[in-house]
Amino acid sequence: MPGHQLAPDIPSDVLAAEQAHLAESRAALKAMRAHAQSLSADAAGDWVSQQILQALLDQRVAALADHPDTPLFFGRLDRASGDDLPSTIYVGRRHVHDGHSKPLVIDWRAPVSRAFYQASPADPMSVVRRRRFGYHGGALTAFEDEPLGEGVEIGPSKILTEEIERPRTGPMRDIVATIQPDQDEIVRSTLAQTVCVQGAPGTGKTAVGLHRAAYLLFTHRERLARAGVMIVGPNRAFLSYISSVLPALGEVKVDQTTVAGLLGEHAAPEDPMVAAVKGDARMAPVLERALWLHIVKPEEGIVFTKGAYRFRVADYEVREIVASLRGTTRYNPGRAALAQRLAHMVLVRMEQRGESPDDRVQDAVARSKPVKQLVDTVWPKLTPEQVLYRLLSDPEFLAAAVKAAKSDLSPEEQEMLIWRKPYRSWKSAKWSAADAALLDELRDLMERTPSLGHLVVDEAQDLSEMQLRALGRRCRNGSATVLGDLAQGTTPWSTSSWKSVLEHLGQREGEVTELTLGFRVPREVLDYAAHLLPSIAPDLAAPRSLRPGVGSLTVRPGGSVAEAAAEALAKEGSIGVIVPDALIADVSRALAGIPHAVLDPDSAEEHRLLIVPATLAKGLEYDHVIVVEPADIVAAEPRGLARLYVVLTRAVTSLTVLHDKPLPAQLPA
């Protein structure tokens, strides 16, 4: 490989010196953690402050945990002098210093570490030599030098290639040692910038999103500690799969959830076409009008009695107050403001009689029976569930809300929305996943939803417009990293435009970038799956892979799943047997003699051989994938071809396709 110097050609004492530096760094990290554990929260003045300080100390201790099977540093930069930075820098997952504050490892997110990812012979960025380290477990076993300052062409890195292709078991691991220049540009985007990443299978878009979260937390620690960072994934199995990435980078204070976990775990079964109408952004103005239609025109004024005096607010004055508040504030603050404005009018009458009432009197009047009765009549207290219940059970009310909103929901769509068998009350109603987004919209119309500092949304192509609006409220004062692949859209409401996604998210100024070069999925597998693209995403360019993967694809008519599983078990790495959901029990019986587990959406199975329902495969990857009966996967849902594309691109070493039924016409036999 031109430009590379491999460790075996260099004296072993160089490798020994690097191993000694690793040992010193690990000892220093252990000392840093011990010091953090020795700190006491007793210095805080009161009990509340002690609890807050203790929580911060606990987070610090957790962030300094060593992972013995994970390299503490993975690169070294030998720099040309000329600034006040060290001439030799070790780049790793977190900062480590010795007892004299001398840096032993520099965090990969620090500005000086950027050269590790971006430096090249054309632009060495003051780097004379870049050294990459090879590890086995946590032990440093090799290194490889790239002389950037000599203008020599640098070929592919063997260590980098081996790390990318290394078989994977268990949860997803970080890619901090293998981040590519185009990925690094996304990771280091500014906090204010919302970034949307269209990423083909194997391009590392999920890892890029997680590393961007880690980078932003490092760069804007204080601000994001207050505002918060959240990762939103498609299901709990996916969250379990990615759960180890951020803690390995020292970030333990990041919430990870699903859309259902964020909006409400509602899962009543529903016709997908009804869910599609509910997910349409045209529902937003309908919900808004439905809420405000609950406010009625005041027909009477109020009389407040104090001692021998009666203070009156005329009906027309009440109407003027209601009209001035209606639609200019959220529902609940408007209701509270109505009570205060009525009380203020009463105080004006008191002052006209020569009294001198203060704020306490106004609050007492606002809580008085006459004022409360009027407010309850004119501006009733509501819950989101009450409003949505009325909307979905009363055709006349729905039609009125649609008309008031000037929405173009057709009569047929309105009929679809109405429950065939309405529940007895809003308290007994069973809500669907699509209803959860509608309830969240109503909740925000009543009380403002707090905003986070940054939101990472994965598999965003599958979210409805109403779900995107709900997520957008969580980053209205912050920014987002939006990840997905238009070709992998499997819901009836899947988007065909990232511009539309950003618009409904409320992040119109977001920047769309595309990752098309894959590093994980073998080229032979990716090319096979790409035969589906003209049918599911004709506007997308076919993805490319750096890994040839000759011999990685097997298409076997009438093959035995037990035999295929046994062949895979003879190799290194994880195995996913991806099957149509309806065939899970049959395939499990076929594998009865082989230890295995079935992946469940609400649990995180860690087993070398997993049966994976096709509907749960998105976002996951396995070294060896066995796909059973592609025709049934396609037939199971309206966007079955897109589901099959997802399933076929989960393999990072080998793909075996087993089928008794004819393959879809788009796939070569």
Side-chain angles (χ1 to χ4, degrees), residues 280-429:
D280 196 297
R282 292 177 297 162
M283 287 298 298
V286 174
L287 293 167
E288 183 177 11
R289 298 321 305 164
L291 176 61
W292 292 105
L293 282 173
H294 284 81
I295 297 177
V296 300
K297 184 178 180 180
E299 299 294 340
E300 298 179 356
I302 60 170
V303 177
F304 179 80
T305 302
K306 182 184 179 185
Y309 297 104
R310 291 186 174 186
F311 302 97
R312 299 178 182 274
V313 180
D315 54 358
Y316 74 88
E317 292 177 299
V318 177
R319 283 193 288 273
E320 289 175 355
I321 294 172
V322 172
S324 69
L325 291 172
R326 184 171 180 167
T328 62
T329 179
R330 281 178 165 75
Y331 189 88
N332 290 349
R335 189 173 186 274
L338 174 58
Q340 290 294 330
R341 293 277 287 274
L342 291 172
H344 175 72
M345 294 295 290
V346 171
L347 260 65
V348 170
R349 303 291 188 269
M350 291 179 178
E351 289 170 350
Q352 289 171 347
R353 286 183 178 270
E355 297 185 22
S356 300
D358 56 21
D359 290 344
R360 289 174 298 174
V361 176
Q362 178 166 326
D363 288 340
V365 175
R367 294 193 302 269
S368 68
K369 186 175 180 180
V371 171
K372 289 179 68 175
Q373 285 180 334
L374 181 62
V375 170
D376 287 342
T377 301
V378 173
W379 201 303
K381 186 176 182 180
L382 294 170
T383 66
E385 289 79 6
Q386 285 175 290
V387 179
L388 189 57
Y389 172 82
R390 186 178 177 189
L391 198 66
L392 301 182
S393 59
D394 185 342
E396 292 183 1
F397 181 68
L398 174 60
V402 170
K403 182 178 180 180
K406 298 181 180 179
S407 171
D408 61 352
L409 280 177
S410 67
E412 292 76 19
E413 288 174 317
Q414 293 178 48
E415 186 179 353
M416 290 172 66
L417 290 173
I418 295 296
W419 284 322
R420 300 281 80 82
K421 294 181 179 179
Y423 298 96
R424 297 187 64 175
S425 74
W426 64 271
K427 292 183 179 179
S428 62

Side-chain angles (χ1 to χ4, degrees), residues 12 98 153 171 198 212 280 299 330 332 342 358 376 380 457 481 506 522 548 560 566 595 602 660:
S12 60
D98 65 11
E153 179 187 352
Q198 158 62 39
R212 187 183 183 211
D280 196 297
E299 299 294 340
R330 281 178 165 75
N332 290 349
L342 291 172
D358 56 21
D376 287 342
V457 185
T481 301
S560 161
D602 294 323
D660 290 323

Side-chain angles (χ1 to χ4, degrees), residues 45 69 140 157 180 204 226 276 293 302 313 316 334 341 375-376 402 501 506 520 525 537 603 643:
D69 294 333
L140 194 161
S157 163
Q180 300 299 296
R226 295 193 305 268
L293 282 173
I302 60 170
V313 180
Y316 74 88
R341 293 277 287 274
V375 170
D376 287 342
V402 170
V501 167
R520 296 285 292 167
V525 172
S603 66
R643 182 73 69 187

Side-chain angles (χ1 to χ4, degrees), residues 46-64:
D46 56 81
W47 183 84
V48 173
S49 299
Q50 288 177 3
Q51 297 303 305
I52 294 173
L53 180 56
Q54 188 60 55
L56 293 173
L57 290 174
D58 291 344
Q59 288 177 29
R60 174 65 174 163
V61 170
L64 290 171

